Amino acid sequence: MDSKLNSSSLLLLLIFITGFVIPATVNAVGINYGQIANNLPPPEHVIPLVRSIGATKLKLYDADPRVLKAFANTSVEFIVGLGNEFLPKMKDPNNALAWVKTNVQSYLPSTKITCITVGNEVFTFNDTALSQSLLPAMQSVYNALVGLNLDKNVTVTTPHSLAVLETSYPPSAGAFRRDLKAFITPILDFHVKTGSNFLINAYPYFAYKGSPKQVPIDFVLFQPNAGVTDPVSNLKYDNMLFAQIDAVYSALASLGYKKVSVQISETGWPSKGDEDEAGANPENAKKYNGNLMKLIAQKKGTPLRPNSDLNVFVFALFNENMKPGPTSERNYGLFKPDGTLAYGLAGVSSVGSNFSAGGANGSSAGTPSLTPPSRPTASPPGSTSTGYLAISGELHLGSNCLLLQLLLLVVGLI
């Protein structure tokens, strides 16, 4: 053995030689891999962490070449992203083709890139110019994939905030905001044509944070509780996330898109928060993410779609120390930057603290082949070069709507 190998290399070598046991309780989980931090381990040291939690899918907010190269030949599937500020340029087919060649085609097939997200929660900003750019950008990226014969293996989609719903409770009454239907309907046609998923970011945490005395904590943490019954469908719900997912399915059905599949592109719970951030603590984060992973492993569907596997990406892999906003923003990670768990998860052990920190100074690490202008056109306030948004800064009207209507039914649970 080379005597020059450092302790981190020895640790990684030992893991690969002995074989890291993937916990059966968290099989096939997806994780969001954000990098708004200056103390994260280099991507090659992240591989054993991903294996330790049994993750098979990672979602990036860009197409970081360091990450995509490091995970080559690992069988981990990737979603890569294009930030909101790129949407106007991506309407040009030549720009889209150049981006796909550089950031997708060049890594295939060694790195399994299976999806491209174009923009992130675009409709949250109520920016007409940005909203009008979304579908043309998605179409240009998809056409680039077709031209390169990659469209059978790589899909194109865009994540939405739950705020795109005007009504979210009862789940059977789920409906999109009327002012967004003109934008959403063509996007749904795109999903039908290309076979891609409809992505939603859903955070029951915000419903609890907004009214901790009214919302039963067990209902949002997947803990045993009496549940609530949808008065129209007569389906029983024992957790808020499932109610949110089914509200999205109902909204899709109301527009005639019953066959479009829903994917939860973000959900999670912070392990630390400010004094006014009720429920943000390690114990609740452990319950939320741990119970969610168990449900994913059980291939359990929602009450409305009991035979459909949950398609969920947990937010997030690491605590990110450079994210702005309240304390919770920097504490959604399953792991601390040194590779130790932020809190215990059943069947998962920390890989260790012998990580070489650094090498990641934000999520915009030289990824796109197009350089964003110094003052991006149609770039919404608070966005970054990857469209990575502050969670707590979003409106999450869908959660609030669900909360207001839900309180009428769950008062008996308190």
Side-chain angles (χ1 to χ4, degrees):
M1 182 178 293
D2 191 336
S3 61
K4 294 182 180 180
L5 287 175
N6 58 31
S7 59
S8 295
S9 299
L10 287 171
L11 174 65
L12 291 173
L13 184 59
L14 178 62
I15 290 169
F16 290 129
I17 290 174
T18 59
F20 208 91
V21 178
I22 297 177
T25 56
V26 290
N27 187 36
V29 65
I31 304 290
N32 285 274
Y33 184 179
Q35 299 182 76
I36 301 183
N38 61 7
N39 59 354
L40 299 184
E44 59 268 21
H45 291 184
V46 176
I47 296 171
L49 296 182
V50 173
R51 292 185 174 186
S52 75
I53 55 176
T56 60
K57 299 173 288 186
L58 287 178
K59 177 170 164 283
L60 301 177
Y61 292 86
D62 54 14
D64 189 336
R66 301 166 310 126
V67 174
L68 296 176
K69 290 177 183 176
F71 277 82
N73 304 309
T74 61
S75 77
V76 174
E77 296 182 3
F78 275 90
I79 295 177
V80 297
L82 262 167
N84 291 342
E85 70 278 19
F86 291 110
L87 299 190
K89 286 191 173 184
M90 284 301 134
K91 291 191 296 183
D92 184 331
N94 292 325
N95 288 338
L97 180 62
W99 190 91
V100 171
K101 283 183 175 180
T102 301
N103 298 287
V104 178
Q105 185 184 42
S106 63
Y107 298 103
L108 298 172
S110 298
T111 303
K112 293 189 176 182
I113 298 174
T114 60
C115 180
I116 302 169
T117 56
V118 179
N120 189 30
E121 299 195 352
V122 169
F123 298 133
T124 299
F125 300 102
N126 297 314
D127 183 321
T128 302
L130 187 63
S131 297
Q132 290 176 341
S133 296
L134 178 57
L135 180 59
M138 293 172 68
Q139 291 171 328
S140 290
V141 172
Y142 175 73
N143 289 337
L145 291 171
V146 172
L148 297 170
N149 199 28
L150 299 176
D151 57 298
K152 298 297 188 293
N153 299 314
V154 183
T155 61
V156 177
T157 185
T158 185
H160 303 280
S161 164
L162 202 64
V164 297
L165 295 187
E166 182 173 293
T167 305
S168 56
Y169 200 87
S172 59
F176 290 108
R177 281 169 43 188
R178 281 165 285 186
D179 62 308
L180 293 181
K181 287 182 180 179
F183 293 113
I184 289 179
T185 300
I187 288 177
L188 293 175
D189 288 333
F190 175 86
H191 288 308
V192 171
K193 174 185 176 182
T194 65
S196 54
N197 294 324
F198 186 81
L199 270 55
I200 283 285
N201 298 338
Y203 288 89
Y205 164 69
F206 290 104
Y208 181 77
K209 174 186 173 182
S211 297
K213 293 183 179 179
Q214 287 76 36
V215 177
I217 187 67
D218 289 339
F219 188 74
V220 291
L221 293 180
F222 309 98
Q223 295 286 98
N225 65 88
V228 295
T229 300
D230 185 313
V232 177
S233 68
N234 206 35
L235 294 174
K236 186 176 180 179
Y237 291 86
D238 59 10
N239 70 80
M240 183 175 286
L241 182 65
F242 280 15
Q244 292 175 337
I245 295 173
D246 281 355
V248 175
Y249 272 120
S250 294
L252 292 171
S254 71
L255 294 181
Y257 297 90
K258 293 182 179 181
K259 294 184 179 181
V260 173
S261 295
V262 173
Q263 180 177 40
I264 302 302
S265 42
E266 288 184 20
T267 192
W269 197 283
S271 60
K272 186 178 181 181
D274 295 320
E275 290 186 4
D276 62 344
E277 294 189 285
N281 59 60
E283 186 61 27
N284 286 342
K286 175 182 178 180
K287 289 178 180 178
Y288 185 87
N289 287 323
N291 288 334
L292 175 59
M293 289 178 179
K294 290 178 183 178
L295 289 175
I296 294 172
Q298 294 169 5
K299 300 184 181 299
K300 183 178 180 180
T302 65
L304 186 61
R305 297 293 182 93
N307 297 319
S308 297
D309 292 348
L310 289 179
N311 200 347
V312 177
F313 281 75
V314 174
F315 188 89
L317 189 59
F318 290 109
N319 287 336
E320 299 170 74
N321 69 343
M322 294 181 67
K323 291 193 69 177
T327 298
S328 63
E329 286 287 338
R330 294 173 289 282
N331 290 277
Y332 273 87
L334 300 179
F335 291 97
K336 299 176 183 178
D338 65 359
T340 59
L341 285 165
Y343 46 86
L345 283 173
V348 181
S349 299
S350 289
V351 171
S353 58
N354 292 323
F355 278 80
S356 299
N361 54 5
S363 61
S364 58
T367 297
S369 57
L370 297 173
T371 302
S374 56
R375 295 177 65 84
T377 306
S379 180
S383 72
T384 72
S385 60
T386 61
Y388 188 88
L389 305 179
I391 299 171
S392 61
E394 299 170 23
L395 297 178
H396 290 278
L397 298 179
S399 294
N400 293 338
C401 182
L402 169 61
L403 169 61
L404 292 173
Q405 297 167 14
L406 177 65
L407 292 180
L408 299 176
L409 293 178
V410 301
V411 65
L413 302 180
I414 302 173

